[in-house]
Amino acid sequence: MTSAVRTPAVAGKFYPRRPEELRRAIQEYTSTEQTGRIAAIGCIAPHAGYMYSGHVAGAVYSRLQIPNRVIILCPNHTGMGHPLAIMTRTSWQTPLGDVAADAELGTALLQRYPAIHEDSAAHRSEHAIEVQLPFLQTLGPNLTFLPIAVGTSDFSVLRELGEALAEVISAQADKVLIIASSDMNHYESDAVTRIKDRKAIERVLALDPRGLWEVVMNEDISMCGFGPSVAMLTAARRLGATSAALVKYATSGDISGDRDMVVGYAGIIVE
């Protein structure tokens, strides 16, 4: 039983508030082709307003088999709450309906990794998980999910989180997909952003969580969800991942026409 409802924080801002408009947007961004979908271990999908990054997120989700159980890791943009925060008994509301948290996965993770805490404050105003849910609701209507907000850049903590996730997932009878919600470099020129993002993407494609952490730190790449991505890659490797593919890359300049100050978006699948 869920004990609370997490109401939308960015409906009408990052994505349409009206259900019919939201469904049309998701249909626009996703392919209806059902053949060749991948039973991936993990992925990276962006979380900006749909106008800017919806086409990249949609490209990722169009390629995936969406299982009934999903873990979504996101950065903590607000700075509120615990640095490692989950919600295990909450239903998340979007204009398309409610999605229940996966209490079984959450309880198992709390037992396996006590550094993580049950905490709603980190999630209350955070958009990075919320914007993923309409895609998942549309493509995986029987979805339950575990939301995890990551507010630390400590590599050892990120590695431990990924290892704990792998252990919890490997103990499940059902398929579990790990989604890292992340945009790429922020608020530099299109040319600089593409160079920086390529360096980070190369480490993801190499399934190299430590390398991703190092290049983000050393090259001053403002990839907001690098922590979730490091944890996802760590877990994916433990779960037997052998390859990663870049599905789509874009910057906000591709939509706005402003090439002086952009945000990068990458859609990557790990299998």
Side-chain angles (χ1 to χ4, degrees):
M1 293 289 293
T2 55
S3 60
V5 175
R6 191 271 189 189
T7 56
V10 293
K13 299 174 183 176
F14 280 59
Y15 60 86
R17 182 184 299 276
R18 296 176 62 187
E20 60 273 21
E21 291 181 13
L22 180 53
R23 288 191 191 94
R24 280 198 299 271
I26 298 297
Q27 289 169 357
E28 177 184 337
Y29 295 131
T30 57
S31 166
T32 57
E33 178 61 53
Q34 295 297 315
T35 58
R37 290 180 181 259
I38 299 166
I41 296 173
C43 70
I44 296 175
H47 54 235
Y50 284 8
M51 172 183 174
Y52 295 106
S53 70
H55 64 113
V56 178
V60 172
Y61 290 126
S62 295
R63 295 285 304 280
L64 294 176
Q65 294 177 17
I66 306 298
N68 290 338
R69 307 180 80 186
V70 173
I71 294 171
I72 312 179
L73 300 134
C74 78
N76 184 333
H77 290 92
T78 68
M80 301 291 288
H82 193 273
L84 293 175
I86 65 174
M87 298 176 75
T88 63
R89 302 190 181 278
T90 304
S91 181
W92 284 46
Q93 185 182 84
T94 82
L96 301 184
D98 292 354
V99 187
D102 193 316
E104 181 185 353
L105 276 176
T107 299
L109 184 59
L110 285 167
Q111 291 172 347
R112 168 59 182 79
Y113 192 44
I116 204 162
H117 286 70
E118 183 86 37
D119 177 31
S120 62
H123 291 277
R124 189 172 297 118
S125 299
E126 176 57 57
H127 67 276
I129 287 176
E130 180 182 327
V131 297
Q132 311 296 337
L133 291 178
F135 287 98
L136 295 166
Q137 287 174 286
T138 301
L139 298 171
N142 298 315
L143 182 80
T144 63
F145 81 111
L146 181 63
I148 306 176
V150 179
T152 178
S153 60
D154 185 314
F155 179 77
S156 63
V157 173
L158 299 172
R159 184 190 64 232
E160 290 168 1
L161 174 59
E163 291 170 349
L165 287 171
E167 287 191 24
V168 168
I169 290 170
S170 64
Q172 305 303 311
D174 306 321
K175 174 73 177 176
V176 180
L177 172 68
I178 312 168
I179 299 170
S181 179
S182 181
D183 294 341
M184 300 300 291
N185 195 60
H186 286 62
Y187 308 136
E188 293 189 89
S189 72
D190 191 87
V192 168
T193 288
R194 288 175 186 271
I195 291 169
K196 287 189 172 185
D197 284 350
R198 171 47 60 183
K199 293 177 181 179
I201 290 166
E202 284 175 353
R203 292 300 90 213
V204 177
L205 298 182
L207 302 179
D208 182 5
R210 177 76 194 194
L212 174 61
W213 184 87
E214 289 178 350
V215 77
V216 166
M217 291 295 182
N218 294 337
E219 301 286 344
D220 191 28
I221 302 170
S222 53
M223 175 184 178
C224 55
F226 79 92
S229 300
V230 165
M232 181 275 290
L233 286 173
T234 301
R237 285 183 52 160
R238 290 275 180 138
L239 293 166
T242 57
S243 67
L246 178 65
V247 176
K248 192 168 188 178
Y249 176 82
T251 74
S252 58
D254 296 330
I255 303 298
S256 69
D258 177 3
R259 302 288 179 179
D260 295 329
M261 189 173 291
V262 306
V263 179
Y265 313 114
I268 300 173
I269 292 175
V270 178
E271 56 180 319

